[in-house]
């Protein structure tokens, strides 16, 4: 049957809309009171190019295997079914928007909402035969009764695999790589931007994101956006202090922030007398 999910009962439980509370801004699991008043510790102080993120689940187990399958043409129906599940989850969020201060505005007219998928470069699309994000967007639009517009965005050049790059390299990889189509107008529209996995938030942050108002990037496994600029992190020269500073630098680098360690010597390091 066309509308019946193609997975078994066990996978259906794993791929159903999440029951755990997630931060509506970055989709990280968090306590309910944090999700209501936000932001959560994972995205506090982090700048995003979108208003919020919604995850169908963590990128692991059956969901990870399903997402990997959707990258191939023979599994396009699976991508649509994942999109439908995502649409159900998004509808549930909108239904509870009054209880959440940082949720999306459910009163936006449907005529202003447009479901858009992250595009692929035409040569990559021809080689792979399908764009899983595009089919997921179709599933989301079907459930929410919105219009899906896969031709709204254009990928201008060949891109390296984001999963093989470090956070800072991912942003450089997609810089100036996307643009809005010359034949599509998004003026005054609110955009639901769909991708299969969102890690550092590098993909929805190129130039075209400044031309949109993006209420959600729904299919993110765990959304963390990089912070622009380079941070100078001061540390004492002792082994313990440097270890602590390196740990902090690694955590910031995972969020896309370049960090430079600056050793600091104080009088207290050489003068121990009162």
């Amino acid at each position: 049957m066309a509308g019946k999910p193609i997975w078994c009962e066990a996978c259906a439980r794993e791929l159903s809309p999440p029951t755990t509370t997630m931060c509506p801004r970055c989709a990280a699991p968090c306590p309910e009171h944090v999700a209501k008043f936000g932001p959560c510790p994972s995205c506090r102080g982090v700048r995003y190019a979108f208003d919020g993120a919604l995850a169908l689940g963590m990128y692991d187990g059956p969901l990870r295997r399903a997402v990997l399958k959707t990258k191939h043409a023979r599994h396009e129906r699976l991508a649509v079914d994942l999109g439908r599940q995502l649409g159900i989850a998004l509808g549930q969020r909108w239904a509870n928007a009054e209880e959440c201060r940082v949720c999306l505005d459910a009163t936006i007219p449907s005529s202003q909402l447009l479901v858009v998928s992250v595009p692929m470069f035409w040569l990559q699309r021809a080689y792979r035969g399908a764009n899983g994000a595009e089919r997921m967007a179709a599933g989301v639009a079907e459930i929410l009764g919105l219009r899906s517009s896969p031709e709204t965005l254009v990928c201008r050049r060949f891109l390296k695999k984001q999963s093989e790059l470090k956070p800072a390299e991912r942003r450089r990889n997609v810089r100036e790589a996307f643009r809005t189509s010359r034949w599509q107008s998004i003026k005054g529209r609110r955009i639901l931007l769909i991708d299969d996995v969102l890690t550092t938030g590098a993909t929805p942050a190129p130039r075209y994101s400044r031309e949109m108002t993006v209420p959600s990037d729904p299919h993110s496994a765990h959304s963390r956006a990089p912070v622009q600029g380079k941070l100078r992190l001061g540390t004492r020269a002792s082994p313990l202090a440097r270890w602590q500073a390196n740990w902090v630098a690694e955590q910031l680098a995972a969020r896309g922030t370049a960090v430079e360690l600056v050793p600091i010597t104080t009088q207290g390091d050489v003068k121990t007398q009162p």
Side-chain angles (χ1 to χ4, degrees):
M1 296 176 61
K4 185 178 180 181
I6 60 177
W7 45 66
C8 64
E9 292 184 3
C11 287
R13 289 192 295 270
E14 295 287 343
L15 301 175
S16 295
T19 56
T20 56
T21 306
M22 292 185 176
C23 174
R25 187 166 181 258
C26 73
C30 65
E32 184 176 353
H33 70 279
V34 175
K36 184 177 293 186
F37 298 102
C40 77
S42 297
C43 63
R44 190 172 297 139
V46 180
R47 292 178 293 177
Y48 290 100
F50 45 84
D51 294 341
L54 176 65
L56 189 55
M58 299 299 291
Y59 188 59
D60 193 17
L63 182 57
R64 179 178 181 275
R65 293 194 295 271
V67 169
L68 291 175
K69 286 180 179 293
T70 62
K71 297 181 181 294
H72 304 280
R74 64 180 180 275
H75 295 296
E76 282 191 330
R77 184 181 168 190
L78 175 60
V80 174
D81 281 339
L82 286 176
R84 289 170 179 155
Q85 293 294 91
L86 192 57
I88 293 172
L90 186 54
Q92 291 173 349
R93 172 186 286 193
W94 279 345
N96 298 324
E98 293 182 357
E99 303 174 5
C100 180
R101 294 186 179 181
V102 289
C103 279
L104 309 181
D105 185 359
T107 63
I108 300 172
S110 58
S111 60
Q112 294 183 13
L113 285 170
L114 189 64
V115 182
V116 177
S117 56
V118 174
M120 297 176 63
F121 185 55
W122 69 269
L123 192 58
Q124 291 173 302
R125 172 64 183 268
Y127 175 78
R128 186 175 292 178
N131 180 1
E134 181 180 314
R135 304 313 304 153
M136 292 176 193
V140 171
E142 175 188 331
I143 293 297
L144 298 178
L146 302 174
R147 185 169 75 89
S148 176
S149 180
E151 66 279 0
T152 296
L153 298 180
V154 177
C155 183
R156 306 168 62 179
R157 55 181 169 80
F158 186 89
L159 299 177
K160 297 178 181 179
K161 290 184 178 181
Q162 292 286 80
S163 60
E164 298 176 354
L165 303 176
K166 296 179 180 179
E169 294 174 335
R170 292 174 180 175
R171 180 173 286 273
R172 289 194 296 268
N173 185 44
V174 298
R175 185 174 296 154
E176 303 295 330
F178 301 96
R179 63 171 175 81
T180 53
S181 171
R182 295 183 179 91
W183 318 111
Q184 295 289 322
S185 174
I186 59 172
K187 184 177 181 180
R189 306 299 289 269
R190 297 275 287 181
I191 306 299
L192 291 174
L193 183 63
I194 310 296
D195 203 358
D196 51 4
V197 176
L198 181 62
T199 49
T200 62
T203 301
R207 182 176 64 183
Y208 67 74
S209 64
R210 296 197 295 271
E211 303 172 7
M212 301 180 180
T213 304
V214 184
S216 181
D217 193 337
H219 202 76
S220 60
H222 197 168
S223 164
R224 290 190 177 95
V227 179
Q228 297 179 350
K230 192 170 186 178
L231 178 68
R232 302 185 72 196
L233 182 63
T235 176
R236 294 176 59 205
S238 68
L240 176 59
R242 290 191 67 88
W243 183 93
Q244 292 171 329
N246 283 323
W247 184 87
V248 172
E250 290 176 359
Q251 301 305 307
L252 291 172
R255 290 168 169 80
T257 302
V259 179
E260 176 187 358
L261 293 184
V262 181
I264 298 175
T265 302
T266 66
Q267 291 294 319
D269 292 325
V270 296
K271 192 174 183 181
T272 58
Q273 302 264 341

